[in-house]
Amino acid sequence: MDDIMLRQLDRRDPAAAAEWRRLLEQEGIHEDPHLDYTAGAYDRHERLVATGSCFRNTLRCFAVDGAHRGEGLLNTVVSHLVEYQYGRGNCHLLLHTKCCNLPVFRDLGFHEIARVEGQVVFLENRPHGFESYLSRLQRGHGRQAAIVMNANPFTLGHRRLVETACRENDTVHLFLVSEDVSQFSFSVRKQLVVQGTRDLHNLIFHETGSYLISTAVFPSYFFPSSEAITQIQAALDCKVFLRIAQALDVTSRYVGQEPFSPTTAVYNEMLRRILPEHGVTLREIPRFSADNTVISASKVRSLLSEPQSQASRLIKLLPPTTYQYLTGAHLIK
């Protein structure tokens, strides 16, 4: 370890980036292009022997050269990244890693939230962070269901899904994806969902924080990845949701059928496989259509990106509150 030097790895440097990719590939690690800091550990010959990276409040992309395993390099890299994250004000840190790395991260003060057995484990650096999140969730009564949505933005399709769940249950827990990685900010998305469901009185709103459909546990939802990686991340997200469902006595989850997004289709398939095994029913609701067009948030965003947005088409896809917001924000021309 005396011969090891730890420093920032500049992935904009072609030679450094190529060496970094070789190490990741050699150790079977998926290259994540969405990183905002990368560290490298170099031996006395200036060869990269270990690496790890950050993105927002997550740690990711760890790799240690097989010839240097058992030398404590992973501990060194993780400790450096934790210190770096604290220095930029990120105190709640999350990561997912191979299950075989769990003992190392436990020794470094990380605590398990959920796992996909034999594949991946989701961890945080707070001993009771997730339990604290669960304890703050508002409880409901009677037959309880859940919906998790991004609503980017809130459409008539989202509205139909929420209406259906509210009609069939005493309480509906609506979890809104809180990370700001979408075209519309969380504050705007929340405003549109709350305003667009104001007449439905058995809804309880929750923020997902870093726990559900987040860049910490499910980056493939936001950034394209291979189907195999997406399946594992989606399964992990399902396991996190099941802990939430157990805490709230939720017995069903509502989703819309997915004809467009391959990532969401994979996610729905994971939900179909995993939830019933744990006593939670999955209700897939057919997509709502208008003028023979299946309504989706991606369709709305596509229309908004056109040089002259067609108000007559958009008004048929959106609740009045969303349409009014987009008009007021001058996104509809």
Side-chain angles (χ1 to χ4, degrees):
M1 286 295 294
D2 291 341
D3 294 330
I4 296 297
M5 294 177 291
L6 190 65
R7 62 175 182 266
Q8 181 175 1
L9 188 156
D10 186 357
R11 292 184 300 110
R12 296 170 300 180
D13 180 302
E19 187 177 20
W20 175 72
R21 292 191 182 97
R22 280 196 297 272
L23 178 58
L24 294 182
E25 184 178 349
Q26 171 187 308
E27 300 305 318
I29 304 301
H30 169 66
E31 178 188 338
D32 189 335
H34 301 280
L35 306 172
D36 50 36
Y37 178 81
T38 296
Y42 296 83
D43 67 13
R44 58 191 175 90
H45 302 292
E46 280 294 301
R47 290 179 298 211
L48 181 67
V49 293
T51 185
S53 298
C54 302
F55 180 70
R56 298 190 168 196
N57 69 327
T58 68
L59 310 181
R60 53 183 66 191
C61 270
F62 296 102
V64 176
D65 189 314
H68 291 267
R69 290 209 182 100
E71 297 178 9
L73 288 176
L74 182 57
N75 306 49
T76 301
V77 171
V78 174
S79 297
H80 169 78
L81 293 178
V82 169
E83 184 178 351
Y84 173 79
Q85 288 279 35
Y86 285 171
R88 63 180 185 176
N90 290 330
C91 296
H92 183 205
L93 305 179
L94 302 106
L95 62 91
H96 63 275
T97 187
K98 293 179 179 180
C99 291
C100 60
N101 290 333
L102 180 57
V104 173
F105 286 101
R106 277 181 174 159
D107 289 344
L108 290 167
F110 284 82
H111 306 269
E112 181 175 344
I113 298 170
R115 71 167 68 190
V116 177
E117 203 61 54
Q119 295 281 349
V120 65
V121 59
F122 182 35
L123 305 162
E124 65 181 337
N125 67 332
R126 291 179 177 172
H128 305 292
F130 188 52
E131 286 79 4
S132 177
Y133 169 78
L134 294 177
S135 70
R136 294 193 301 270
L137 295 176
Q138 182 182 343
R139 271 51 179 173
H141 68 278
R143 180 186 173 95
Q144 300 189 68
I147 298 172
V148 183
M149 65 169 56
N150 197 24
N152 183 39
F154 188 64
T155 68
L156 283 174
H158 293 115
R159 166 75 194 198
R160 174 64 64 88
L161 179 66
V162 177
E163 280 180 354
T164 303
C166 286
R167 185 172 61 250
E168 296 177 354
N169 297 275
D170 299 302
T171 301
V172 176
H173 298 273
L174 198 162
F175 290 85
L176 189 62
V177 174
S178 348
E179 282 201 288
D180 275 326
V181 193
S182 303
Q183 179 173 327
F184 292 87
S185 69
F186 171 68
S187 61
V188 168
R189 289 184 287 110
K190 182 177 181 180
Q191 171 191 331
L192 297 180
V193 173
V194 171
Q195 290 178 345
T197 58
R198 190 160 284 163
D199 58 312
L200 303 174
H201 303 298
N202 55 338
L203 273 174
I204 298 177
F205 292 96
H206 307 282
E207 298 180 11
T208 58
S210 296
Y211 295 114
L212 272 177
I213 305 189
S214 70
T215 53
V217 67
F218 194 5
S220 293
Y221 183 86
F222 304 97
F223 311 121
S225 189
S226 70
E227 183 172 341
I229 295 294
T230 299
Q231 286 178 337
I232 293 172
Q233 293 174 357
L236 186 60
D237 192 86
C238 291
K239 294 299 184 73
V240 176
F241 171 76
L242 282 167
R243 290 198 59 188
I244 293 171
Q246 182 180 30
L248 294 176
D249 292 326
V250 164
T251 56
S252 59
R253 176 163 171 179
Y254 284 66
V255 298
Q257 290 179 347
E258 186 44 69
F260 302 117
S261 167
T263 296
T264 306
V266 168
Y267 186 40
N268 286 356
E269 176 59 28
M270 289 296 105
L271 292 170
R272 275 193 296 273
R273 290 186 196 176
I274 296 171
L275 297 192
E277 296 176 356
H278 300 271
V280 178
T281 302
L282 182 68
R283 286 276 283 121
E284 283 192 271
I285 307 303
R287 284 295 187 113
F288 187 37
S289 298
D291 288 345
N292 297 316
T293 299
V294 175
I295 297 175
S296 70
S298 59
K299 178 66 175 178
V300 171
R301 295 194 302 274
S302 176
L303 288 172
L304 288 173
S305 69
E306 295 179 2
Q308 290 296 319
S309 301
Q310 300 182 36
S312 61
R313 296 179 65 185
L314 282 165
I315 200 168
K316 297 176 181 179
L317 308 182
L318 302 169
T321 46
T322 301
Y323 184 81
Q324 290 162 11
Y325 170 80
L326 296 179
T327 303
H330 305 294
L331 297 178
I332 296 178
K333 300 178 178 66

